[in-house]
Amino acid sequence: MTVDAATRPPVAVRRARVAVAVLFFTNGALFANLLPRYPQIKEALGIGNAGYGLAVAAFPAGAVAAGLAAGVVIRRLGSARAAVAGTLLTAVGIVAAGFSGTVGLFAAALFLAGAMDAITDVAQNAHGLRVQRRYGRSVINSFHAIWSIGAVTGGAMAAGAIALGLPPGQHLAASGAVCTAAAFAALRFCLPGPDTDSTVEPVADAPAERPGKTVTPGRRTAWVLAALVLIATGAALYLSGSLHASVALAASGFIALVGAQFVGRLLGDRLVDRFGQRAVARAGGLIAAAGMGLALAFPTVPGTILGFAAAGFGVATLVPAAMHEADELPGLKPGSGLALVSWLMRLGFLLSPPLVGLVADASSLRVGLLVVPFAGVVVLLLAGVLQGRRPPAPGEKAAA
């Protein structure tokens, strides 16, 4: 789409978009700095594989434990301040994990980091969706692409710190300070005012945030929310299904999946604006189901890697789309729909790898990975709850 200069968002809104991008970037970078240090921390603590596995499980456990509280925190603090406070406390937990001298402290630090990361995730998406409403067009997929860039940057920072011989605690303290400082700097440029589901914060010449929105709470809201949860959980199945392959295939498949997902998110906003979320989600579900289905029907290593790439590309816009729709549902308090979808998606990440593994152990990996095309079919069937193509706003015209 091309946007007339007269309808271009005001400077304050464009700055808010950059600020939200910074929040997504720092969120991706924080945990990615910690992951490569896990082996050194494990060795320093002198723990076995079982104890180590239980300790690192504290991070997703913290996320699941605190995830549903995100809506309350957003209503108390506002989405921008909640995201920045969550970034600070996530950094505190990660730094504490780097300096931990016992397994108990290590697990407690990861629990705190996971809990705060869950709140940050919901809050930054809530604020990103506020910015999107001011733009009058899709921008949420670009934020998720920037999160991926942040994760790659964080991994590169960790690799550099390891090469320089920096101890985990010092490295994580430095990276945590940088990410927290960036988040606090971004806060200044975020949108002012509270997060509400029925009012529009006044910004000069900005498009209305929720034009024509009517509040009709009830059974339909519950059904739509359930469908959105299944769509988002389908994304979780895509992303975690590759982890039970052989070492070489898992590495190559995961790289193909994440790389294709990143490309899909870079293209996602333009596709959503042109065709609507519903059509893009259906196409993505079809691509993922067909690509992975063909790879499993005619198994070869190159074909399987291409299948994972198809799954990654297909899933690219699903989580942002589900979050957008959850945030727009009538009859829910600000942040509640986002918090529930995010929480259940995290459960999907936590539970789907063991389920795939159990099926694979009982039969074969090939049968276990059937969950990927199955999830694509689920998305294809349920995408009707997502928005169709919106009519062009005044001053817009479809790109040729």
Side-chain angles (χ1 to χ4, degrees), residues 298-341:
F298 306 100
T300 64
V301 171
T304 303
I305 292 172
L306 288 174
F308 281 123
F313 189 81
V315 77
T317 64
L318 293 184
V319 171
M323 288 187 166
H324 171 261
E325 292 300 317
D327 194 48
E328 295 284 333
L329 281 175
L332 297 178
K333 294 180 180 179
S336 295
L338 271 175
L340 182 57
V341 168

Side-chain angles (χ1 to χ4, degrees), residues 17 42 52 87 93 126 154 158 186 202 228 233 249 277-278 314 317 347 357:
R17 181 179 180 179
K42 176 179 180 289
Y52 169 73
T87 299
L228 294 175
T233 304
L249 181 58
Q277 289 178 336
R278 185 184 307 152
T317 64
L347 275 182

Side-chain angles (χ1 to χ4, degrees), residues 196-368:
T196 62
D197 67 342
S198 59
T199 61
V200 178
E201 305 87 332
V203 174
D205 301 323
E209 287 209 10
R210 299 177 186 264
K213 181 180 176 65
T214 58
V215 178
T216 56
R219 185 175 299 176
R220 182 180 181 277
T221 296
W223 280 110
V224 172
L225 187 58
L228 294 175
V229 166
L230 286 175
I231 289 173
T233 304
L237 293 174
Y238 290 144
L239 291 172
S240 55
S242 65
L243 300 182
H244 288 269
S246 67
V247 174
L249 181 58
S252 300
F254 186 75
I255 291 169
L257 186 149
V258 174
Q261 182 195 43
F262 175 68
V263 172
R265 284 178 172 173
L266 287 178
L267 301 174
D269 289 320
R270 289 182 178 274
L271 294 174
V272 167
D273 283 335
R274 187 175 182 88
F275 302 108
Q277 289 178 336
R278 185 184 307 152
V280 172
R282 282 175 173 161
L286 181 61
I287 290 170
M292 199 65 198
L294 287 172
L296 293 174
F298 306 100
T300 64
V301 171
T304 303
I305 292 172
L306 288 174
F308 281 123
F313 189 81
V315 77
T317 64
L318 293 184
V319 171
M323 288 187 166
H324 171 261
E325 292 300 317
D327 194 48
E328 295 284 333
L329 281 175
L332 297 178
K333 294 180 180 179
S336 295
L338 271 175
L340 182 57
V341 168
S342 176
W343 182 75
L344 288 168
M345 187 177 67
R346 286 177 181 269
L347 275 182
F349 272 115
L350 188 63
L351 299 178
S352 57
L355 290 176
V356 173
L358 286 173
V359 174
D361 287 343
S363 53
S364 68
L365 175 63
R366 187 178 175 188
V367 174

Side-chain angles (χ1 to χ4, degrees), residues 1-4 7 137 270-276 389-400:
M1 290 205 161
T2 59
V3 182
D4 223 295
T7 62
R137 58 185 172 87
R270 289 182 178 274
L271 294 174
V272 167
D273 283 335
R274 187 175 182 88
F275 302 108
R389 183 182 179 186
R390 68 179 179 84
E396 287 185 352
K397 60 181 180 179

